[in-house]
Amino acid sequence: MTRLKLEDLNDEKPVRLTLEIPARLHRTLAAYAVAVNGGEPKGAPTVERLVPPMLERFIATDRAFAKARKPRNSA
């Protein structure tokens, strides 16, 4: 099986966020959730549970964002 980028779904206290996504993206995320669960639909994480770690991973691997966040030397 292909190794997926999303591995660990940590439990943290959530902050409520309302987000609208296209139906096509929701279906794709639901399919990804099944893949994360080893191809088994039963017990797969919900789309709502997938989105936060996916966003964290995206931000963590965005080189341009990391570069922009580095503190600039004021001297």
Side-chain angles (χ1 to χ4, degrees):
M1 183 174 155
T2 302
R3 184 177 163 140
L4 301 175
K5 288 186 174 192
L6 192 61
E7 295 175 4
D8 187 23
L9 299 177
N10 292 327
D11 285 327
E12 288 189 21
K13 183 177 179 182
V15 175
R16 184 159 301 276
L17 175 68
T18 302
L19 178 69
E20 288 186 27
I21 60 173
R24 177 183 285 172
L25 177 57
H26 187 271
R27 288 189 299 270
T28 303
L29 288 169
Y32 193 93
V34 171
V36 165
N37 198 43
E40 294 295 323
K42 187 172 184 173
T46 63
V47 169
E48 293 83 355
R49 192 140 181 251
L50 279 180
V51 172
M54 291 178 108
L55 289 174
E56 285 177 351
R57 174 99 175 162
F58 175 81
I59 290 171
T61 59
D62 187 321
R63 291 182 188 167
F65 180 67
K67 186 176 178 183
R69 286 192 72 180
K70 282 187 181 178
R72 294 195 176 127
N73 224 348
S74 57

